[in-house]
Amino acid sequence: MGRQLVWRWRVAAAWWFAVAVGCSLVGSGSAGLLESNPGLAYNFYQKSCPNVDSIVRGVTWAQVAANPALPGRLLRLHFHDCFVQGCDASILLDNAQSEKTAGPNLSVGGYEVIDAINTQLEKACPGVVSCADIVALAARDAVSYQFKASLWQVETGRRDGSVSLASNTGALPSPFAGFNGLLQSFSNRGLNLTDLVALSGAHTIGKASCSSVTPRLYQGNATSLDPLLDSAYAKTLMSSCPNPSPSSATVDLDGATPLKFDSSYYTNLQKKQGALASDAALTQNAAAAQMVADLTNPIKFYAAFSMSMKKMGRIDVLTGNKGQIRKQCRAVNTS
C-alpha cells in the first residue's frame, strides 16, 4: 500500500510539473491555452447537473477496468467526432449514410460506453448534458484511468448537432498521408504543427486495421517495405498482417507498450517503428522531428497533449441556443 501511495504521489507531482512547464514547450506549444474560448466553460454543469463528472468517470472507469482497449477507442471516437463538423457528437447518430458508415469510421468503437453514460445522466439530470460533452469527458477519463487522476481539464457546454453524413468524413487525416497532407488537415481545423505532433501521440494506445498498414509491407504479391520502416519491426507487423490480411485483422499502434498511455510512441518513431505512414511522416520534417524528440520526455508529452486536446475540443462547437441536447445519443430529438 505504501508503494502505491508513493507512486500515485509521483504521478500527481509529475502532472502538476507538466502543467508548469507547458508554456515553455517547443515551438508554439502553449497555443492551446491561448486560443479564444467559444462559449465553453469549466464546471459548466455545476448547478444544472453537479454530479456529471463523477457519473461519467464512474461509468467510464468501470468499463475500462473490464476492457483495457477502451481508452484507445474512446480517444479515437472524440478525435473523429471533432474533425468532422466539429465536436457535436454527429459521429454517434445512426441515420442512413451517417458518419458511422464511412470507411474511416467503420473501425471506430466505444459507442456502448457513451450510451451507458447517457443513460445514467438522463436519470440524474434529464435533458441537461450533451452527448458531445459526454464524448469529450469519457475520452479524458478513459485515458486517465491508469493514473487514477485526470490528465487534463475538459471544458463543457457543447451542444449536439443534427446532421451526420458519411460524405463529410473527408476531413479526417489519412493514415497514408505525408507530412504536408497531415499539416493541411490539421490546419483546416484550426490546429497547428504542435497540435499535429502532440495529438499524434494518441497512437501510443489503440489499434490500426491491417488495411492501413499493409501498403507499407507489400506491393501486389511481393514484399516491398517502406524505407521509413525498420526491417525488424516490419517483420512483426507482417506476423499480424499477412498478405492478404483478413478484413478484421488489426495491429497495435504502439508495439512497445500498447495499453499504456506514455511517450513511447515518440521513441518508436525515432527507431522507424511507427505503424502508419502518417506516423513516419512526422520524422520527415525538421521542426516536427525536433518536437518528436522533445516529446519522448513523458512530462512534456502529457503537457503538450493536454493543451492540444483542449484546443481540439473547441473545434466548431455548438453552444448557447445552437444545436440540441439529445435524449438519446444515437438519434436526433423528434420533439
Side-chain angles (χ1 to χ4, degrees):
M1 179 61 72
R3 289 184 178 179
Q4 186 177 30
L5 290 174
V6 169
W7 179 81
R8 289 186 180 179
W9 178 87
R10 286 176 177 171
V11 169
W15 168 239
W16 287 114
F17 177 68
V19 172
V21 302
C23 293
S24 63
L25 290 177
V26 293
S28 54
S30 60
L33 293 179
L34 301 177
E35 294 295 312
S36 60
N37 187 308
L40 302 177
Y42 296 120
N43 301 316
F44 180 84
Y45 300 107
Q46 186 171 14
K47 294 182 178 179
S48 59
C49 192
N51 294 325
V52 60
D53 287 322
S54 60
I55 291 173
V56 175
R57 182 174 58 249
V59 174
T60 304
W61 282 13
Q63 297 224 18
V64 171
N67 183 356
L70 282 175
R73 293 177 184 174
L74 288 167
L75 192 56
R76 188 170 181 233
L77 179 66
H78 185 29
F79 183 95
H80 279 227
D81 180 41
C82 291
F83 258 69
V84 181
Q85 297 189 157
C87 310
D88 66 348
S90 55
I91 193 172
L92 305 179
L93 291 173
D94 277 338
N95 53 281
Q97 297 183 329
S98 68
E99 292 173 30
K100 280 183 179 179
T101 68
N105 287 334
L106 292 178
S107 57
V108 172
Y111 298 111
E112 70 285 356
V113 182
I114 305 303
D115 291 337
I117 295 169
N118 176 241
T119 296
Q120 293 302 313
L121 287 173
E122 282 299 304
K123 291 178 181 177
C125 318
V128 172
V129 182
S130 70
C131 298
D133 279 343
I134 293 174
V135 171
L137 289 166
R140 187 272 309 274
D141 289 341
V143 171
S144 299
Y145 173 75
Q146 75 178 67
F147 303 101
K148 300 300 186 290
S150 297
L151 286 187
W152 66 91
Q153 289 180 290
V154 174
E155 296 169 322
T156 47
R158 300 168 189 80
R159 290 170 66 87
D160 301 323
S162 58
V163 176
S164 182
L165 296 171
S167 57
N168 289 334
T169 59
L172 290 167
S174 167
F176 310 113
F179 177 78
N180 291 335
L182 290 172
L183 191 61
Q184 187 62 57
S185 292
F186 275 67
S187 177
N188 290 344
R189 309 312 288 157
L191 302 174
N192 60 26
L193 174 61
T194 299
D195 302 315
L196 166 60
V197 179
L199 291 175
S200 293
H203 289 178
T204 189
I205 52 176
K207 293 180 178 290
S209 62
C210 282
S211 60
S212 298
V213 177
T214 50
R216 305 187 71 197
L217 304 172
Y218 313 104
Q219 185 173 10
N221 294 323
T223 298
S224 180
L225 295 185
D226 182 338
L228 299 180
L229 195 59
D230 173 73
S231 57
Y233 177 59
K235 291 181 180 179
T236 299
L237 293 177
M238 290 170 137
S239 66
S240 297
C241 299
N243 185 27
S245 295
S247 59
S248 60
T250 60
V251 64
D252 290 322
L253 283 165
D254 180 346
T257 55
L259 294 176
K260 186 178 180 182
F261 192 80
D262 58 21
S263 61
S264 66
Y265 166 78
Y266 299 101
T267 302
N268 295 342
L269 292 188
Q270 293 184 314
K271 298 177 181 178
K272 294 186 176 182
Q273 293 178 3
L276 304 177
S278 57
D279 294 324
L282 300 182
T283 65
Q284 301 306 294
N285 171 272
Q290 181 58 56
M291 291 181 191
V292 166
D294 286 347
L295 296 189
T296 58
N297 180 322
I299 293 176
K300 289 187 176 183
F301 167 52
Y302 295 144
F305 188 81
S306 299
M307 288 187 287
S308 291
M309 282 297 293
K310 283 186 277 191
K311 189 174 175 183
M312 186 188 79
R314 297 170 178 171
I315 296 176
D316 292 342
V317 291
L318 301 173
T319 57
N321 294 322
K322 297 178 181 178
Q324 60 181 217
I325 305 297
R326 289 191 220 132
K327 297 176 183 177
Q328 294 183 350
C329 291
R330 293 174 181 261
V332 174
N333 295 343
T334 56
S335 61

